[in-house]
Amino acid sequence: STGVGMMDCKKALTEADGDVEKAIELLREKGLATQAKKAGRVAAEGMVVAKVNADNSVGCVVEVNSETDFVANTDEFKAFVNQVADTIIEKNPADVEALKATTVSGGTMTVDEALQELFLKIRENLQIRRFVRMEGILVPYIHGGGKIGVLVDVETDVVNDAIKEMAKNVAMQAAALKPQYTTRAEVDADYISREKEILLAQIMNDPKESQKPQKVIDGMINGRINKELKEICLMDQTYVKAEDGKQTVSAYVAQVAKENNAKVAVKNFVRFETGEGMEKKEEDFAAEVAKQMNA
């Protein structure tokens, strides 16, 4: 019933004098202690889920980490992450700590208690790393079985299959090309200013480029900034499915809007990639097994 190994169960039953309920409590206590010891181990694998409710009005993207890809691919782990996503959508917790204290969707335990139950079966460091909850007209996309999750928020006066398909294609675009912003309006002016200073310094350090007229230098800087913005802003990127290889995402959205006699704008998106920004520890599994055997 706990999924814990036979010998651990036997020891717990012996310690509890055959009382099954007490034995389960002991296993939970031991499990918590074991997890505390493992909490220092790097959990950079795992799964990202992007999910919405029945009418696409509320959704979330959540990342839950495990130590190994093997665990991330188990049915129990996947079910837990999806249950956490449902809890976020239904109960709107403020942050990860509040989420852990929230009763899970369709259950009686808190999310943290459900996490401990899962640990008793999996015996790896498991962490709910982050989530974003959104409201609007939302379309999710999951890539690679949970390696990348994207949620796109669309503002439109027409909601049909064509509009939803467009939003999904935009989500796939975000998954593939990893934009940092939705539109140029989101890019901080200080960021642009710093980039211009860096580009100017690069030009001034080039004997040939530095001799050009200031007007030409300004044009070079603006051209390079414009090129960078086309790479980091979702709506300015070249649409990956464009037949001519030139159509921007913005032009694609406008095309679909026109075809459906609709007003459409991509308001926002969230993109999570499993383990991004985390330092992954290189493991020598042969040495780990040998160490455990010697112990």
Side-chain angles (χ1 to χ4, degrees):
S1 66
T2 62
V4 178
M6 186 184 297
M7 292 308 297
D8 285 332
C9 288
K10 183 179 179 181
K11 289 176 183 177
L13 282 166
T14 300
E15 190 174 346
D17 294 325
D19 186 326
V20 174
E21 294 300 321
K22 186 176 180 182
I24 290 173
E25 288 180 9
L26 288 169
L27 285 171
R28 285 181 175 174
E29 291 171 4
K30 291 177 180 178
L32 290 172
T34 306
Q35 186 167 30
K37 290 178 183 177
K38 291 192 175 185
R41 295 177 60 163
V42 176
E45 300 296 337
M47 182 180 182
V48 172
V49 163
K51 202 169 189 178
V52 296
N53 63 355
D55 64 358
N56 290 72
S57 62
V58 183
C60 76
V61 187
V62 59
E63 178 184 359
V64 181
N65 298 121
S66 60
E67 291 179 43
T68 64
D69 193 46
F70 174 80
V71 161
N73 285 317
T74 61
D75 291 340
E76 292 137 320
F77 185 83
K78 292 177 181 177
F80 173 75
V81 181
N82 275 279
Q83 189 178 37
V84 170
D86 290 337
T87 305
I88 294 166
I89 290 171
E90 293 170 16
K91 304 188 179 182
N92 193 19
D95 51 32
V96 172
E97 288 307 309
L99 170 62
K100 288 181 179 180
T102 302
T103 302
V104 294
S105 173
T108 57
M109 293 187 291
T110 65
V111 170
D112 196 44
E113 287 169 343
L115 183 66
Q116 308 304 339
E117 287 281 325
L118 182 60
F119 168 74
L120 284 175
K121 296 180 181 181
I122 289 177
R123 296 301 180 105
E124 279 195 7
N125 182 20
L126 306 174
Q127 298 290 335
I128 300 173
R129 183 185 182 195
R130 54 181 174 162
F131 72 87
V132 171
R133 183 182 185 274
M134 299 169 67
E135 297 183 8
I137 300 173
L138 306 166
V139 175
Y141 172 70
I142 300 173
H143 179 75
K147 291 297 181 185
I148 299 172
V150 179
L151 191 62
V152 170
D153 183 8
V154 178
E155 186 174 43
T156 177
D157 56 353
V158 175
V159 180
N160 58 23
D161 289 343
I163 299 296
K164 289 180 182 178
E165 181 67 20
M166 176 276 296
K168 183 178 179 181
N169 285 333
V170 172
M172 292 172 66
Q173 172 90 19
L177 296 189
K178 202 175 182 178
Q180 299 175 40
Y181 306 94
T182 307
T183 67
R184 295 189 182 200
E186 296 176 3
V187 183
D188 188 74
D190 289 339
Y191 172 84
I192 299 293
S193 179
R194 286 194 300 271
E195 288 298 300
K196 285 184 175 181
E197 289 175 3
I198 292 169
L199 290 170
L200 179 61
Q202 290 175 352
I203 291 171
M204 290 297 100
N205 287 329
D206 187 317
K208 291 183 179 179
E209 301 288 353
S210 61
Q211 298 304 312
K212 293 180 179 179
Q214 187 61 45
K215 185 176 181 180
V216 174
I217 291 174
D218 290 342
M220 290 167 60
I221 291 172
N222 289 331
R224 292 178 189 177
I225 290 290
N226 190 51
K227 182 180 179 182
E228 182 176 348
L229 291 174
K230 286 182 178 181
E231 293 175 354
I232 65 174
C233 296
L234 175 61
M235 301 308 291
D236 283 344
Q237 288 181 342
T238 301
Y239 179 46
V240 290
K241 289 187 175 181
E243 294 181 1
D244 61 1
K246 297 179 180 179
Q247 185 185 38
T248 63
V249 173
S250 179
Y252 165 64
V253 173
Q255 175 191 320
V256 174
K258 184 177 180 181
E259 291 170 352
N260 289 272
N261 194 27
K263 294 180 181 178
V264 182
V266 176
K267 290 175 62 180
N268 194 12
F269 76 94
V270 176
R271 179 190 188 277
F272 282 0
E273 184 170 346
T274 303
E276 64 185 338
M278 299 175 73
E279 184 178 347
K280 296 190 178 184
K281 183 180 177 182
E282 294 296 326
E283 297 280 6
D284 184 342
F285 288 105
E288 180 74 15
V289 170
K291 181 180 177 182
Q292 290 182 12
M293 289 177 68
N294 290 334

